[in-house]
Protein backbone atom coordinates (compact mmCIF):
# COMPACT_ATOMS: atom_id res chain seq x y z
CA UNK A 1 0.00 0.00 0.00
CA UNK A 2 1.22 3.48 -0.79
CA UNK A 3 1.98 5.24 2.51
CA UNK A 4 1.36 8.61 0.84
CA UNK A 5 -2.05 7.70 -0.53
CA UNK A 6 -3.88 9.78 2.08
CA UNK A 7 -1.81 12.82 1.07
CA UNK A 8 -2.71 12.65 -2.60
CA UNK A 9 -5.80 12.70 -4.80
CA UNK A 10 -6.45 12.44 -8.55
CA UNK A 11 -9.70 13.17 -10.35
CA UNK A 12 -11.12 13.69 -13.83
CA UNK A 13 -13.62 16.37 -14.82
CA UNK A 14 -15.14 15.35 -18.18
CA UNK A 15 -16.90 18.70 -18.62
CA UNK A 16 -13.60 20.60 -18.67
CA UNK A 17 -11.56 17.62 -19.98
CA UNK A 18 -9.25 18.05 -17.02
CA UNK A 19 -7.28 15.65 -14.83
CA UNK A 20 -6.33 17.21 -11.49
CA UNK A 21 -3.45 16.00 -9.33
CA UNK A 22 -3.50 17.31 -5.75
CA UNK A 23 -1.17 16.88 -2.77
CA UNK A 24 2.10 14.97 -2.43
CA UNK A 25 2.97 12.32 -5.02
CA UNK A 26 6.01 10.43 -3.69
CA UNK A 27 5.80 6.70 -4.55
CA UNK A 28 8.71 4.33 -4.05
CA UNK A 29 7.91 2.69 -7.37
CA UNK A 30 5.69 3.43 -10.36
CA UNK A 31 3.58 0.40 -9.43
CA UNK A 32 2.33 2.30 -6.39
CA UNK A 33 0.69 4.92 -8.62
CA UNK A 34 -0.62 2.59 -11.33
CA UNK A 35 -4.19 3.69 -10.56
CA UNK A 36 -3.23 7.33 -11.11
CA UNK A 37 -1.47 6.56 -14.39
CA UNK A 38 -4.45 4.49 -15.55
CA UNK A 39 -6.78 7.40 -14.71
CA UNK A 40 -4.66 9.77 -16.81
CA UNK A 41 -4.50 7.44 -19.81
CA UNK A 42 -8.17 6.45 -19.73
CA UNK A 43 -9.37 10.01 -19.11
CA UNK A 44 -7.35 11.54 -21.91
CA UNK A 45 -8.48 8.69 -24.14
CA UNK A 46 -12.02 10.10 -23.75
CA UNK A 47 -10.98 13.64 -24.70
CA UNK A 48 -10.86 15.43 -28.04
CA UNK A 49 -9.08 18.63 -29.06
CA UNK A 50 -7.51 19.96 -25.87
CA UNK A 51 -7.20 18.26 -22.48
CA UNK A 52 -5.78 19.72 -19.27
CA UNK A 53 -3.49 18.32 -16.60
CA UNK A 54 -4.07 20.50 -13.55
CA UNK A 55 -1.11 20.44 -11.15
CA UNK A 56 -1.81 23.77 -9.43
CA UNK A 57 -2.15 22.07 -6.06
CA UNK A 58 0.45 19.35 -6.54
CA UNK A 59 2.81 20.40 -3.75
CA UNK A 60 5.40 17.63 -4.11
CA UNK A 61 6.41 15.06 -6.73
CA UNK A 62 9.47 12.82 -6.66
CA UNK A 63 11.58 11.57 -9.57
CA UNK A 64 9.83 8.21 -9.69
CA UNK A 65 6.40 9.79 -10.09
CA UNK A 66 7.60 12.42 -12.53
CA UNK A 67 9.25 9.89 -14.85
CA UNK A 68 6.19 7.63 -14.75
CA UNK A 69 3.94 10.60 -15.55
CA UNK A 70 6.25 11.71 -18.37
CA UNK A 71 6.14 8.26 -19.96
CA UNK A 72 2.38 8.21 -19.59
CA UNK A 73 1.86 11.61 -21.24
CA UNK A 74 4.19 11.14 -24.21
CA UNK A 75 2.29 7.95 -25.03
CA UNK A 76 -1.00 9.82 -25.46
CA UNK A 77 -2.09 10.09 -29.08
CA UNK A 78 -0.42 13.00 -30.86
CA UNK A 79 -3.62 14.65 -32.12
CA UNK A 80 -4.72 15.43 -28.54
CA UNK A 81 -3.16 18.66 -27.25
CA UNK A 82 -2.38 18.49 -23.54
CA UNK A 83 -2.00 21.68 -21.53
CA UNK A 84 -0.27 21.30 -18.17
CA UNK A 85 -1.66 24.00 -15.87
CA UNK A 86 0.79 25.10 -13.16
CA UNK A 87 0.84 27.82 -10.53
CA UNK A 88 3.53 30.39 -9.81
CA UNK A 89 2.77 29.93 -6.12
CA UNK A 90 4.69 26.64 -6.23
CA UNK A 91 7.99 27.96 -7.53
CA UNK A 92 9.46 24.73 -8.88
CA UNK A 93 6.32 23.57 -10.65
CA UNK A 94 6.43 25.58 -13.88
CA UNK A 95 10.15 24.95 -14.44
CA UNK A 96 9.81 21.21 -13.87
CA UNK A 97 6.77 20.69 -16.06
CA UNK A 98 8.25 22.86 -18.77
CA UNK A 99 10.96 20.23 -19.17
CA UNK A 100 8.23 17.64 -19.57
CA UNK A 101 6.44 19.76 -22.18
CA UNK A 102 9.63 19.92 -24.21
CA UNK A 103 9.53 16.13 -24.67
CA UNK A 104 6.36 16.16 -26.76
CA UNK A 105 5.02 18.41 -29.52
CA UNK A 106 1.47 18.11 -28.20
CA UNK A 107 2.39 19.25 -24.66
CA UNK A 108 2.33 22.83 -23.38
CA UNK A 109 2.54 24.59 -20.02
CA UNK A 110 0.23 27.39 -18.92
CA UNK A 111 0.79 29.40 -15.73
CA UNK A 112 -2.76 29.78 -14.51
CA UNK A 113 -2.24 32.75 -12.20
CA UNK A 114 -1.20 35.26 -14.86
CA UNK A 115 -4.37 34.67 -16.86
CA UNK A 116 -6.68 34.59 -13.87
CA UNK A 117 -5.92 37.98 -12.32
CA UNK A 118 -6.78 40.43 -15.12
CA UNK A 119 -6.58 43.54 -12.95
CA UNK A 120 -3.71 42.75 -10.65
CA UNK A 121 -1.04 44.69 -12.52
CA UNK A 122 -3.07 47.90 -12.20
CA UNK A 123 -2.71 47.94 -8.40
CA UNK A 124 0.70 46.33 -7.87
CA UNK A 125 2.61 49.58 -8.26
CA UNK A 126 4.05 50.45 -4.85
CA UNK A 127 2.85 54.03 -5.26
CA UNK A 128 -0.68 52.69 -4.81
CA UNK A 129 0.06 51.25 -1.36
CA UNK A 130 -0.53 54.46 0.65
CA UNK A 131 -3.93 54.78 -1.01
CA UNK A 132 -4.84 51.21 -0.09
CA UNK A 133 -4.01 52.05 3.52
CA UNK A 134 -6.18 55.16 3.36
CA UNK A 135 -9.07 53.18 1.87
CA UNK A 136 -8.85 50.65 4.70
CA UNK A 137 -8.79 53.46 7.27
CA UNK A 138 -11.96 54.86 5.72
CA UNK A 139 -13.82 51.53 5.58
CA UNK A 140 -12.60 50.26 8.97
CA UNK A 141 -14.63 52.94 10.75
CA UNK A 142 -17.69 51.07 9.53
CA UNK A 143 -16.49 47.48 9.41
CA UNK A 144 -15.16 47.26 12.97
CA UNK A 145 -18.76 47.65 14.17
CA UNK A 146 -20.24 45.45 11.45
CA UNK A 147 -18.00 42.41 11.76
CA UNK A 148 -19.55 41.12 15.02
CA UNK A 149 -22.99 41.28 13.36
CA UNK A 150 -21.59 39.00 10.67
CA UNK A 151 -20.30 36.46 13.17
CA UNK A 152 -16.74 37.46 14.02
CA UNK A 153 -15.96 36.67 17.65
CA UNK A 154 -12.91 37.05 19.86
CA UNK A 155 -10.66 34.00 19.76
CA UNK A 156 -11.75 32.83 16.30
CA UNK A 157 -9.51 31.21 13.71
CA UNK A 158 -9.49 33.67 10.81
CA UNK A 159 -8.30 33.64 7.20
CA UNK A 160 -8.08 36.93 5.28
CA UNK A 161 -7.90 35.93 1.61
CA UNK A 162 -6.61 38.45 -0.95
CA UNK A 163 -5.25 40.38 2.02
CA UNK A 164 -3.39 42.95 -0.07
CA UNK A 165 -1.00 44.97 2.08
CA UNK A 166 -2.22 43.23 5.23
CA UNK A 167 -3.63 46.25 7.03
CA UNK A 168 -7.12 44.78 7.49
CA UNK A 169 -5.66 41.60 9.02
CA UNK A 170 -3.59 43.72 11.39
CA UNK A 171 -6.63 45.72 12.46
CA UNK A 172 -8.71 42.57 12.97
CA UNK A 173 -5.93 41.09 15.08
CA UNK A 174 -5.76 44.19 17.26
CA UNK A 175 -9.53 44.49 17.68
CA UNK A 176 -10.66 40.86 17.97
CA UNK A 177 -7.64 38.95 19.34
CA UNK A 178 -8.08 35.83 17.17
CA UNK A 179 -6.63 32.47 18.15
CA UNK A 180 -5.03 32.36 14.71
CA UNK A 181 -5.04 34.62 11.67
CA UNK A 182 -3.69 33.76 8.22
CA UNK A 183 -3.46 36.52 5.58
CA UNK A 184 -2.97 35.25 2.01
CA UNK A 185 -2.32 37.17 -1.19
CA UNK A 186 -0.95 36.63 -4.69
CA UNK A 187 0.99 39.90 -4.86
CA UNK A 188 4.58 39.49 -3.69
CA UNK A 189 5.04 43.26 -3.45
CA UNK A 190 2.00 43.66 -1.22
CA UNK A 191 3.11 40.83 1.07
CA UNK A 192 6.64 42.20 1.30
CA UNK A 193 5.16 45.50 2.43
CA UNK A 194 2.80 43.76 4.89
CA UNK A 195 5.63 41.76 6.47
CA UNK A 196 7.84 44.84 6.69
CA UNK A 197 5.19 46.87 8.47
CA UNK A 198 4.31 43.96 10.75
CA UNK A 199 7.95 43.67 11.77
CA UNK A 200 8.21 47.40 12.45
CA UNK A 201 5.09 47.27 14.62
CA UNK A 202 6.20 44.11 16.43
CA UNK A 203 3.20 42.22 15.04
CA UNK A 204 4.28 38.59 14.93
CA UNK A 205 0.93 36.80 15.23
CA UNK A 206 -0.37 37.35 11.68
CA UNK A 207 0.76 34.60 9.30
CA UNK A 208 1.32 36.28 5.93
CA UNK A 209 1.22 33.66 3.17
CA UNK A 210 1.89 33.89 -0.57
CA UNK A 211 -0.77 31.95 -2.42
CA UNK A 212 -3.24 31.67 -5.26
CA UNK A 213 -6.72 32.42 -3.91
CA UNK A 214 -8.29 30.16 -6.52
CA UNK A 215 -6.17 27.15 -5.51
CA UNK A 216 -5.13 27.69 -1.89
CA UNK A 217 -2.71 25.35 -0.21
CA UNK A 218 -4.77 25.51 2.97
CA UNK A 219 -6.54 22.53 4.50
CA UNK A 220 -10.29 22.02 4.34
CA UNK A 221 -12.65 23.05 7.13
CA UNK A 222 -10.16 24.86 9.38
CA UNK A 223 -11.26 28.50 9.80
CA UNK A 224 -14.14 29.92 11.81
CA UNK A 225 -14.28 33.17 9.85
CA UNK A 226 -13.00 33.74 6.30
CA UNK A 227 -12.82 37.23 4.78
CA UNK A 228 -12.31 38.35 1.19
CA UNK A 229 -12.66 42.11 0.75
CA UNK A 230 -12.91 44.08 -2.51
CA UNK A 231 -11.46 41.12 -4.38
CA UNK A 232 -14.19 39.00 -5.94
CA UNK A 233 -14.99 41.99 -8.14
CA UNK A 234 -11.58 41.98 -9.82
CA UNK A 235 -11.65 38.27 -10.77
CA UNK A 236 -13.23 37.13 -13.99
CA UNK A 237 -14.60 33.98 -12.32
CA UNK A 238 -15.59 34.86 -8.75
CA UNK A 239 -17.38 31.55 -8.29
CA UNK A 240 -13.98 29.82 -8.21
CA UNK A 241 -12.82 31.97 -5.32
CA UNK A 242 -16.08 31.44 -3.46
CA UNK A 243 -15.63 27.70 -3.84
CA UNK A 244 -12.22 27.97 -2.16
CA UNK A 245 -13.53 30.24 0.61
CA UNK A 246 -16.24 27.64 1.22
CA UNK A 247 -13.70 24.81 1.30
CA UNK A 248 -11.40 26.28 3.95
CA UNK A 249 -14.25 27.48 6.17
CA UNK A 250 -15.34 24.99 8.83
CA UNK A 251 -18.94 23.75 8.83
CA UNK A 252 -20.91 26.30 10.83
CA UNK A 253 -18.28 28.99 10.19
CA UNK A 254 -18.89 32.11 8.16
CA UNK A 255 -17.47 33.77 5.06
CA UNK A 256 -17.48 37.58 4.84
CA UNK A 257 -17.08 39.49 1.56
CA UNK A 258 -17.19 43.14 0.55
CA UNK A 259 -17.69 44.50 -2.95
CA UNK A 260 -18.70 47.75 -4.61
CA UNK A 261 -21.20 49.16 -7.05
CA UNK A 262 -19.01 51.82 -8.59
CA UNK A 263 -21.74 53.41 -10.68
CA UNK A 264 -23.38 54.46 -7.41
CA UNK A 265 -20.46 56.65 -6.31
CA UNK A 266 -21.89 60.11 -5.93
CA UNK A 267 -21.17 63.69 -5.09
CA UNK A 268 -22.65 67.16 -4.84
CA UNK A 269 -21.99 69.67 -6.36
CA UNK A 270 -21.38 68.48 -9.96
CA UNK A 271 -23.62 65.43 -9.47
CA UNK A 272 -24.19 64.77 -13.19
CA UNK A 273 -20.50 64.82 -14.14
CA UNK A 274 -19.63 62.52 -11.23
CA UNK A 275 -22.45 60.09 -12.02
CA UNK A 276 -21.38 59.86 -15.68
CA UNK A 277 -17.75 59.15 -14.81
CA UNK A 278 -18.50 56.35 -12.37
CA UNK A 279 -20.95 54.72 -14.77
CA UNK A 280 -18.04 54.71 -17.22
CA UNK A 281 -15.75 53.25 -14.54
CA UNK A 282 -18.05 50.22 -14.36
CA UNK A 283 -17.91 49.81 -18.15
CA UNK A 284 -14.13 50.18 -18.12
CA UNK A 285 -13.69 47.41 -15.58
CA UNK A 286 -16.08 45.19 -17.52
CA UNK A 287 -13.82 45.61 -20.54
CA UNK A 288 -11.04 43.99 -18.50
CA UNK A 289 -13.36 41.18 -17.28
CA UNK A 290 -13.88 42.71 -13.84
CA UNK A 291 -17.20 43.56 -12.20
CA UNK A 292 -17.16 46.56 -9.87
CA UNK A 293 -20.98 46.44 -9.85
CA UNK A 294 -20.86 43.21 -7.85
CA UNK A 295 -21.94 44.50 -4.42
CA UNK A 296 -25.71 43.95 -4.71
CA UNK A 297 -25.10 40.56 -6.35
CA UNK A 298 -23.56 39.21 -3.14
CA UNK A 299 -26.66 37.35 -1.97
CA UNK A 300 -27.03 35.50 -5.26
CA UNK A 301 -23.34 34.61 -5.43
CA UNK A 302 -23.27 33.26 -1.88
CA UNK A 303 -26.49 31.30 -2.40
CA UNK A 304 -25.20 29.71 -5.59
CA UNK A 305 -21.96 28.79 -3.79
CA UNK A 306 -23.94 26.69 -1.29
CA UNK A 307 -23.97 28.98 1.74
CA UNK A 308 -26.93 29.57 4.06
CA UNK A 309 -28.05 32.21 6.59
CA UNK A 310 -26.94 35.04 4.32
CA UNK A 311 -26.68 38.57 5.67
CA UNK A 312 -26.22 41.61 3.43
CA UNK A 313 -25.85 45.26 4.35
CA UNK A 314 -24.44 48.32 2.65
CA UNK A 315 -22.67 51.38 3.94
CA UNK A 316 -21.54 54.65 2.44
CA UNK A 317 -18.00 55.91 2.98
CA UNK A 318 -18.20 59.70 2.84
CA UNK A 319 -16.15 62.85 3.19
CA UNK A 320 -17.87 63.38 6.53
CA UNK A 321 -16.49 60.18 8.11
CA UNK A 322 -13.07 61.67 8.83
CA UNK A 323 -10.60 63.88 7.04
CA UNK A 324 -12.11 64.95 3.67
CA UNK A 325 -8.59 65.14 2.27
CA UNK A 326 -8.25 61.38 2.74
CA UNK A 327 -11.22 60.85 0.46
CA UNK A 328 -9.88 63.37 -2.04
CA UNK A 329 -6.53 61.56 -2.11
CA UNK A 330 -8.26 58.24 -2.80
CA UNK A 331 -10.28 59.76 -5.64
CA UNK A 332 -7.09 61.17 -7.16
CA UNK A 333 -5.51 57.72 -7.05
CA UNK A 334 -8.57 56.26 -8.75
CA UNK A 335 -8.24 58.87 -11.48
CA UNK A 336 -4.57 58.05 -12.04
CA UNK A 337 -5.23 54.32 -12.38
CA UNK A 338 -8.59 54.36 -14.18
CA UNK A 339 -8.07 57.33 -16.53
CA UNK A 340 -4.28 57.37 -16.63
CA UNK A 341 -3.70 53.64 -17.19
CA UNK A 342 -6.79 51.54 -17.81
CA UNK A 343 -8.57 53.86 -20.23
CA UNK A 344 -5.33 54.40 -22.14
CA UNK A 345 -4.79 50.66 -22.40
CA UNK A 346 -8.35 50.22 -23.64
CA UNK A 347 -7.56 52.72 -26.41
CA UNK A 348 -9.94 55.51 -25.42
CA UNK A 349 -9.74 58.84 -27.23
CA UNK A 350 -8.15 61.93 -25.64
CA UNK A 351 -11.57 63.62 -25.64
CA UNK A 352 -13.15 60.73 -23.71
CA UNK A 353 -10.28 60.64 -21.22
CA UNK A 354 -10.54 64.39 -20.66
CA UNK A 355 -14.26 64.11 -19.80
CA UNK A 356 -13.59 60.95 -17.79
CA UNK A 357 -10.96 62.75 -15.70
CA UNK A 358 -13.26 65.71 -15.11
CA UNK A 359 -15.67 63.52 -13.18
CA UNK A 360 -12.91 62.57 -10.75
CA UNK A 361 -11.88 66.23 -10.44
CA UNK A 362 -15.51 67.11 -9.65
CA UNK A 363 -15.72 64.28 -7.12
CA UNK A 364 -12.66 65.65 -5.31
CA UNK A 365 -14.24 69.09 -5.36
CA UNK A 366 -17.38 67.64 -3.76
CA UNK A 367 -15.29 65.90 -1.11
CA UNK A 368 -13.44 69.11 -0.18
CA UNK A 369 -16.27 71.61 -0.64
CA UNK A 370 -17.38 73.15 2.70
CA UNK A 371 -20.99 72.37 1.79
CA UNK A 372 -20.25 69.34 -0.39
CA UNK A 373 -20.93 65.63 -0.04
CA UNK A 374 -19.07 62.74 -1.63
CA UNK A 375 -19.92 59.06 -1.24
CA UNK A 376 -18.49 55.64 -2.06
CA UNK A 377 -20.97 52.74 -1.49
CA UNK A 378 -19.86 49.30 -0.34
CA UNK A 379 -21.84 46.11 0.19
CA UNK A 380 -20.84 43.72 2.97
CA UNK A 381 -22.23 40.20 3.01
CA UNK A 382 -21.64 37.07 5.03
CA UNK A 383 -22.99 33.55 5.04
CA UNK A 384 -22.66 30.30 6.98
CA UNK A 385 -21.22 27.06 5.64
CA UNK A 386 -23.77 24.32 6.34
CA UNK A 387 -22.99 21.59 8.86
Amino acid sequence: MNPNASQFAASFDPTNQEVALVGKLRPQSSAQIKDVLRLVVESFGRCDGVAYLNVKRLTQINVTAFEALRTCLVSVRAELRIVIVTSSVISWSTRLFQTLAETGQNLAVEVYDSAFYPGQDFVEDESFIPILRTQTKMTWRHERHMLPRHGLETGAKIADICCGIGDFAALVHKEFAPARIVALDHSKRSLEYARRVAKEFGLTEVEYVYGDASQMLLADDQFDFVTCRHSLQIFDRPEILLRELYRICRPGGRVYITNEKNSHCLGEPHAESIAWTYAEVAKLFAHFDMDVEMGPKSRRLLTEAGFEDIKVESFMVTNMDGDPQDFADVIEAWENVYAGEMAVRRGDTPEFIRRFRQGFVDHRTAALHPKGYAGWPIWAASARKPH
Side-chain angles (χ1 to χ4, degrees):
M1 181 178 179
N2 183 1
N4 297 311
S6 62
Q7 300 176 325
F8 176 78
S11 61
F12 174 60
D13 176 0
T15 302
N16 294 319
Q17 297 198 154
E18 178 182 85
V19 173
L21 307 181
V22 177
K24 303 174 181 178
L25 190 55
R26 300 177 300 187
Q28 295 176 357
S29 69
S30 60
Q32 290 182 325
I33 58 168
K34 63 178 186 290
D35 292 341
V36 174
L37 302 175
R38 183 183 305 115
L39 173 71
V40 172
V41 172
E42 293 179 354
S43 298
F44 286 164
R46 296 162 55 189
C47 297
D48 293 304
V50 180
Y52 296 89
L53 179 66
N54 179 341
V55 294
K56 290 178 290 187
R57 294 178 63 196
L58 183 66
T59 56
Q60 293 183 23
I61 184 171
N62 64 10
V63 173
T64 299
F66 182 78
E67 286 301 316
L69 185 61
R70 182 189 64 78
T71 301
C72 178
L73 290 176
V74 297
S75 68
V76 174
R77 67 187 192 281
E79 61 268 23
L80 179 67
R81 182 169 179 262
I82 300 174
V83 177
I84 304 167
V85 187
T86 65
S87 170
S88 64
V89 171
I90 304 174
S91 58
W92 54 264
S93 181
T94 300
R95 296 193 303 272
L96 178 65
F97 283 98
Q98 188 63 55
T99 65
L100 192 153
E102 292 169 358
T103 65
Q105 292 184 347
N106 63 330
L107 300 178
V109 170
E110 178 181 291
V111 184
Y112 178 74
D113 315 53
S114 61
F116 190 79
Y117 301 90
Q120 181 169 321
D121 59 333
F122 292 121
V123 295
E124 282 217 351
D125 191 312
E126 290 190 359
S127 65
F128 205 65
I129 285 176
I131 298 304
L132 295 176
R133 292 190 71 175
T134 302
Q135 286 186 174
T136 301
K137 181 172 70 172
M138 293 163 61
T139 61
W140 180 249
R141 297 186 182 105
H142 300 265
E143 289 184 89
R144 66 189 296 262
H145 301 295
M146 294 170 50
L147 285 164
R149 297 200 294 270
H150 287 269
L152 180 55
E153 300 176 348
T154 299
K157 295 179 180 178
I158 301 171
D160 183 27
I161 306 306
C162 304
C163 68
I165 60 174
D167 48 353
F168 179 77
L171 290 166
V172 166
H173 178 268
K174 181 178 180 180
E175 185 79 16
F176 294 96
R180 182 190 181 196
I181 182 164
V182 174
L184 178 144
D185 201 87
H186 186 254
S187 167
K188 291 182 179 179
R189 289 183 182 177
S190 295
L191 285 175
E192 287 170 1
Y193 177 87
R195 291 178 179 130
R196 185 167 67 247
V197 171
K199 183 178 180 180
E200 291 173 355
F201 291 173
L203 183 63
T204 60
E205 294 86 353
V206 180
E207 303 171 37
Y208 290 108
V209 177
Y210 175 60
D212 179 354
S214 68
Q215 293 283 331
M216 291 184 281
L217 303 178
L218 297 173
D220 298 354
D221 306 328
Q222 64 169 308
F223 295 103
D224 304 308
F225 199 78
V226 180
T227 65
C228 187
R229 300 169 60 261
H230 301 286
S231 297
L232 293 172
Q233 63 190 29
I234 64 169
F235 293 101
D236 56 354
R237 296 181 64 189
E239 71 278 2
I240 293 179
L241 266 69
L242 281 167
R243 186 173 65 204
E244 281 291 273
L245 303 180
Y246 184 100
R247 180 182 66 79
I248 67 172
C249 184
R250 68 164 176 80
R254 296 189 71 84
V255 165
Y256 169 86
I257 60 175
T258 63
N259 293 286
E260 303 168 48
K261 185 173 177 67
N262 236 261
S263 64
H264 281 198
C265 285
L266 50 85
E268 181 65 43
H270 308 301
E272 291 184 2
S273 169
I274 295 166
W276 180 86
T277 283
Y278 284 99
E280 292 300 321
V281 168
K283 297 175 185 177
L284 177 63
F285 272 77
H287 174 81
F288 291 101
D289 296 320
M290 296 179 277
D291 183 5
V292 288
E293 300 288 276
M294 186 174 288
K297 304 173 186 177
S298 299
R299 185 182 183 189
R300 174 178 61 81
L301 290 167
L302 289 167
T303 300
E304 292 175 351
F307 290 98
E308 61 186 16
D309 186 26
I310 297 168
K311 300 179 181 180
V312 182
E313 58 182 304
S314 61
F315 61 94
M316 183 76 76
V317 174
T318 79
N319 59 326
M320 300 178 70
D321 291 341
D323 185 351
Q325 188 62 54
D326 282 345
F327 202 168
D329 290 344
V330 168
I331 296 166
E332 183 177 10
W334 291 345
E335 177 190 348
N336 292 337
V337 174
Y338 304 163
E341 297 182 32
M342 295 176 68
V344 172
R345 188 179 300 186
R346 185 172 63 174
D348 292 334
T349 65
E351 176 58 27
F352 174 89
I353 293 175
R354 185 203 62 76
R355 185 182 178 190
F356 193 39
R357 283 187 179 275
Q358 187 60 48
F360 295 110
V361 172
D362 291 339
H363 204 201
R364 290 202 301 277
T365 299
L368 296 173
H369 195 286
K371 299 179 183 179
Y373 183 84
W376 169 34
I378 297 171
W379 272 254
S382 69
R384 182 175 62 230
K385 179 176 177 176
H387 285 282

